[in-house]
Amino acid sequence: MQRDGINKSIWQEVTVPGLSAPRDQEHVEIIVVGGGITGLTAALKLQEAGRRCVIMEANTIGFGTTSGTSAHINTVLDTPYTDIIEQHGLEAARTVVASTRKAISIINKNKDQYEIDCDFTRCSGFMYAENEEEKKELKEIKEALEQVGIPCSEVDEIPVPASFMYAIEFEEQARFHPTKYLAGLAKAYISLGGQIRERTVVQHVKEENDMLVAKTAEGDVFSADFVLYATHTPPGIQLMNFRLAPYRSYIQVWELMRQIDWPEALVYDMQEPFHYFRTVEQGGKSYLLIGGQDHKTAHHDNEKKNFRELEAYVRSLYVVNKKIYEWSSQYYESQDSLPFIGYYPGKKHRRELLSSGYGGNGMIFGTLGGSMMADLVLHGKTDFQDIYSPSRIGPLSAIRNLLVENYDVAKHFVKDRFFLEEIEELAELGRGEGKILNYKGKRIGLFKGEQGELFAIDPVCRHAACIVKWNNTERSWDCPCHGARYAPDGSLLNGPSVAPLKIWQLEKKK
Ligand SMILES: Cc1cc2nc3c(=O)[nH]c(=O)nc-3n(C[C@H](O)[C@H](O)[C@H](O)COP(=O)(O)OP(=O)(O)OC[C@H]3O[C@@H](n4cnc5c(N)ncnc54)[C@H](O)[C@@H]3O)c2cc1C
């Protein structure tokens, strides 16, 4: 299967069924935009209830972050419950825990009902502190876990060979193989009559005569009763983009020398940014999966360096045999650390729904979001509707975060537009490299392919006109503002943009 980056992830070894929907179709009862874990969960639940869905996927099923994840299944989220309690209060934090438990039960139910062999394994989680400051923070996290009702305890041993001052173990976590699960959902959905239309970018949706009209980049037009955005970040320019910030995280999979070293549990250190560990199975063998080095998208000078640093970190802990995979992928943080799931804000009708802003917990929140959107279509209400409402104002601290994030966006508009780099560095560009340069007074994004062929793009993002940056490890043009991404030739990889970059024609002098 394909993914939105050049580096291959371990999850791409799976074939996910895609099914072409009839081309002459004009009315679709429910359009689910996006074929990741969120879209498939929603579409399957709707199809089970006898509703007729078409999944419209810009690329192929699993193309987005679902095939670039690490697939920890958590009730203990990346945002510590200390922060969630501080921002939203204890009752809300307990509701969040209840929602994560529900998400795990949905995964479990789907796996059992459709006999999906997806390596689902229940396990515990560990967090460890390496200095006094981290120890203090971790003690507070443990207290918060107790307050929200997640069983946890102090431990003297952890399942990674790191020295530590203090550590805790918490129960009720799990891990699985995300694309085997996705393939199982797709198979079940298709067997119930569900349709999938791949390579279909939904570009524009508007209300017309009490109906939604969706236009695709290919020029097809559909009417629909409901449109569900399962696109990781909602497409187009709208308020939601300003409430979500894109981040990139890096993963490696290693063959270790000693069998006893695989961590059966999910493990996290307390560094900033933190590292995450799990075991992954492939072909009857176990491997170490480790991730971290997170940073805001396109806010790093040299993405390749993150892999080198991750490798150095692994080698400082383990005796390794060889690295078998490395890749990076993108996620979106919401302004107040909780996802946005529900009716699209600012619309008079209740026909458009979205689910986004999962941070590093999209296996849980994507499952929950898919299921909640389906409930809203089917019953007009769902559990956890208020706490995750996209229309919520949220705590005051979140508004501060919003201002900081959007100051950053403003900075990219201004700085990148008027502060031009030097000049013609054409000759210096190596094969497989991309660069923004100032060429004859015009700003050009240039990529040199492996055969020396040149692709020139206009680096102005088609979403909100920020300037894209070259990502030297996934070989993509990434937008620092809202996370839109483009392939070296300018074609669209990730929303919220719905159009490719403009292309510059390069001509040889006669
Ligand atoms: C490195 C990394 C590690 C992670 N680890 C974990 C983890 O351990 N546990 C966890 O719970 N979460 C983790 N996450 C987060 C989790 O992987 C994601 O939140 C989740 O996969 C998102 O799923 P999704 O279905 O919403 O989006 P995606 O899988 O990104 O799917 C969205 C789909 O929508 C399509 N699309 C977008 N726009 C359009 C359009 N206009 N028209 C048609 N189609 C469109 C895209 O092509 C894409 O296929 C991790 C994330 C990263 C980056």
Side-chain angles (χ1 to χ4, degrees):
M1 60 182 287
Q2 295 175 310
R3 195 179 75 82
D4 61 10
I6 190 116
N7 294 303
K8 194 168 184 186
S9 90
I10 192 168
W11 318 120
Q12 285 178 262
E13 310 292 355
V14 167
T15 307
V16 180
L19 188 78
S20 194
R23 282 277 152 188
D24 54 358
Q25 204 169 14
E26 283 170 5
H27 181 77
V28 173
E29 195 179 338
I30 302 164
I31 297 177
V32 176
V33 191
I37 191 165
T38 307
L40 259 308
T41 305
L44 176 59
K45 185 162 184 176
L46 288 163
Q47 205 68 33
E48 280 172 345
R51 307 298 287 266
R52 300 187 63 75
C53 300
V54 177
I55 295 176
M56 296 194 183
E57 164 54 54
N59 292 282
T60 46
I61 294 295
F63 186 81
T65 303
T66 301
S67 59
T69 186
S70 57
H72 296 214
I73 296 177
N74 306 98
T75 58
V76 176
L77 304 172
D78 287 4
T79 302
Y81 282 103
T82 40
D83 290 7
I84 297 178
I85 293 170
E86 192 187 331
Q87 288 196 72
H88 300 274
L90 182 56
E91 269 325 296
R94 287 186 176 140
T95 307
V96 171
V97 175
S99 75
T100 60
R101 287 182 178 140
K102 177 161 182 194
I104 298 181
S105 74
I106 294 169
I107 294 174
N108 208 26
K109 178 207 132 259
N110 282 336
K111 160 187 87 66
D112 289 347
Q113 184 173 341
Y114 297 108
E115 297 176 352
I116 304 174
D117 182 7
C118 59
D119 309 337
F120 180 89
T121 311
R122 289 191 185 273
C123 57
S124 57
F126 287 80
M127 242 181 250
Y128 64 92
E130 295 166 281
N131 57 44
E132 283 295 346
E133 201 185 326
E134 289 177 4
K135 180 177 172 183
K136 182 171 172 289
E137 196 188 332
L138 188 51
K139 285 199 159 192
E140 286 164 6
I141 289 175
K142 178 172 177 286
E143 244 173 65
L145 290 180
E146 283 160 359
Q147 283 181 296
V148 297
I150 296 178
C152 65
S153 54
E154 291 175 5
V155 286
D156 296 331
E157 284 180 26
I158 58 171
V160 297
S163 53
F164 62 97
M165 288 186 82
Y166 179 74
I168 62 168
E169 178 177 8
F170 38 91
E171 295 169 22
E172 53 180 42
Q173 314 303 298
R175 56 181 157 84
F176 72 164
H177 189 304
T179 53
K180 283 188 186 171
Y181 179 68
L182 198 68
L185 295 185
K187 197 168 152 224
Y189 167 70
I190 290 167
S191 73
L192 293 171
Q195 295 181 333
I196 298 172
R197 185 184 286 266
E198 291 186 325
R199 305 196 187 286
T200 303
V201 179
V202 175
Q203 218 167 34
H204 186 62
V205 177
K206 65 174 178 181
E207 198 189 13
E208 237 175 58
N209 304 328
D210 208 22
M211 191 72 76
L212 296 176
V213 177
K215 289 193 181 137
T216 72
E218 300 72 33
D220 294 326
V221 179
F222 302 91
S223 63
D225 299 332
F226 292 94
V227 173
L228 276 52
Y229 298 99
T231 46
H232 210 179
T233 187
I237 299 187
Q238 18 69 23
L239 178 68
M240 292 310 296
N241 297 141
F242 296 90
R243 303 171 73 189
L244 295 161
Y247 281 80
R248 180 147 291 270
S249 187
Y250 297 77
I251 293 179
Q252 292 176 339
V253 176
W254 287 86
E255 186 178 299
L256 301 182
M257 287 294 271
R258 298 189 317 158
Q259 281 294 332
I260 51 163
D261 283 343
W262 321 121
E264 280 307 318
L266 311 181
V267 189
Y268 308 84
D269 69 15
M270 298 278 296
Q271 296 183 16
E272 185 57 47
F274 67 91
H275 297 94
Y276 42 96
F277 306 70
R278 61 165 279 188
T279 298
V280 58
E281 287 86 24
Q282 190 180 61
K285 283 181 76 174
S286 295
Y287 299 92
L288 172 76
L289 182 153
I290 182 161
Q293 304 292 128
D294 301 20
H295 61 79
K296 206 169 162 209
T297 294
H299 284 61
H300 200 281
D301 291 343
N302 179 0
E303 283 82 358
K304 280 185 184 163
K305 195 165 160 242
N306 287 295
F307 283 135
R308 289 201 292 274
E309 287 177 1
L310 194 55
E311 173 161 348
Y313 181 72
V314 174
R315 288 183 184 278
S316 74
L317 294 177
Y318 289 97
V319 183
V320 292
N321 224 352
K322 64 172 187 252
K323 182 171 61 190
I324 58 166
Y325 291 91
E326 67 179 7
W327 72 90
S328 70
S329 191
Q330 184 163 289
Y331 63 88
Y332 299 84
E333 287 288 356
S334 88
Q335 102 207 43
D336 63 7
S337 314
L338 296 183
F340 296 113
I341 306 169
Y343 296 114
Y344 209 111
K347 311 244 177 195
K348 283 193 211 105
H349 61 77
R350 298 200 139 197
R351 294 174 177 278
E352 283 173 86
L353 298 96
L354 67 91
S355 183
S356 184
Y358 309 147
N361 299 103
M363 299 296 103
I364 286 301
F365 287 133
T367 301
L368 189 71
S371 171
M372 283 176 62
M373 286 196 291
D375 278 344
L376 287 169
V377 169
L378 295 170
H379 314 296
K381 60 180 180 155
T382 178
D383 291 346
F384 317 115
Q385 191 171 338
D386 292 337
I387 191 165
Y388 297 134
S389 167
S391 304
R392 69 179 181 267
I393 296 169
L396 275 179
S397 56
I399 293 171
R400 199 192 58 224
N401 290 346
L402 189 68
L403 292 176
V404 170
E405 291 294 355
N406 284 296
Y407 165 73
D408 192 50
V409 169
K411 203 172 72 180
H412 280 277
F413 278 123
V414 178
K415 181 172 153 236
D416 289 339
R417 291 205 140 217
F418 303 113
F419 193 73
L420 298 177
E421 284 177 22
E422 315 85 53
I423 36 163
E424 305 173 16
E425 294 132 297
L426 239 168
E428 292 168 22
L429 200 63
R431 293 186 179 204
E433 266 180 26
K435 197 169 193 175
I436 307 280
L437 51 94
N438 185 22
Y439 183 69
K440 294 193 173 170
K442 285 220 183 296
R443 189 180 287 245
I444 293 184
L446 212 60
F447 171 73
K448 195 182 272 182
E450 295 303 341
Q451 310 305 322
E453 68 279 27
L454 284 172
F455 297 92
I457 52 98
D458 179 350
V460 178
C461 179
R462 295 297 296 282
H463 175 241
C466 295
I467 301 297
V468 297
K469 179 195 164 290
W470 178 246
N471 174 336
N472 67 3
T473 175
E474 294 299 341
R475 288 197 184 174
S476 56
W477 301 105
D478 296 358
C479 181
C481 294
H482 307 104
R485 295 180 58 241
Y486 307 86
D489 66 357
S491 53
L492 182 64
L493 288 176
N494 289 154
S497 177
V498 289
L501 291 174
K502 288 187 182 144
I503 307 289
W504 292 114
Q505 294 298 335
L506 291 178
E507 280 177 25
K508 278 191 180 162
K509 277 186 185 160
K510 290 190 181 140

